[in-house]
Each structure stands twice: as C-alpha cells, then as structure tokens.
Amino acid sequence: METRGTATGRSAPATATVVLGALGLFTSPAIVGGLLGAAGLVTGAVALRAAGRAGTARRRALLGLVLSLASIAVSVLAVVLLLWYADHTQECYRPDSLHQYVECVRRNLSDR
C-alpha cells in the first residue's frame, strides 16, 4: 500500500483516519469514542502530511479529522451529562427496588 497521497487518492493513513473518526463518533456516547477520536487525530496529522496539498487523500484525511474532533466533542458531552446526572440523582443510589430508583430519579430531576 502506498502511504503518499496520489492522484488516485490511495492513502492508508487517510483511510484509517476516516475509519477511526467514524468508529469514534459511533462509540462516543459510551465515552470510548474519545480515545478512538484521539487516535484519529494523530493518524489524521500523519495522513495530511503524507497527502500533500491536493487530492482525494487530503480530502479523506480532513474528513477523518472532522469526524475525530466530533467524536471527542460528543464523548466530552457524554461525560458532562453523566456527571450532571450523577450529581442530581446521588441520593437514589441505594434503592430497595428498581421502581423506587425510578421514582427517586423522576422526583429529583423534576424538582430542578
């Protein structure tokens, strides 16, 4: 496989960047996507350097970088929302049943 961007656009790092970015975005709500996005950023930097100034490899590398950044952003948002939820429902963590937990969460989230 060729690592330099060519007129045909074949670039393994550019393709890897898109794959890592897409997988990262898909798994971002589970927070794992942030790690894949970080790997996509590193691979994207390598791909951009190898692609040069033009060609499909450069466009693919840029797409991968955008997807990687989006996966990191969604992962950070998921962590923030998880921490917010945990803070607002911390008194509900020792329920006797699932029904009590659901009622406690509903009560705590509707009061605020």
Side-chain angles (χ1 to χ4, degrees), residues 16-42 64-79:
T17 302
V18 172
V19 169
L20 285 170
L23 283 174
L25 193 57
F26 182 70
T27 59
S28 288
I31 303 169
V32 177
L35 298 174
L36 292 171
L41 287 178
V42 171
L65 284 171
V66 169
L67 289 172
S68 296
L69 286 171
S71 70
I72 291 171
V74 171
S75 290
V76 168
L77 180 63
V79 167

Side-chain angles (χ1 to χ4, degrees), residues 4 7 10 34 36 38 44 46 53 71 80-81 84 86 88 112:
R4 301 284 285 163
R10 293 183 182 175
L36 292 171
V46 171
R53 292 205 169 254
S71 70
V80 168
L81 289 175
W84 176 86
H88 284 79
R112 295 175 195 256

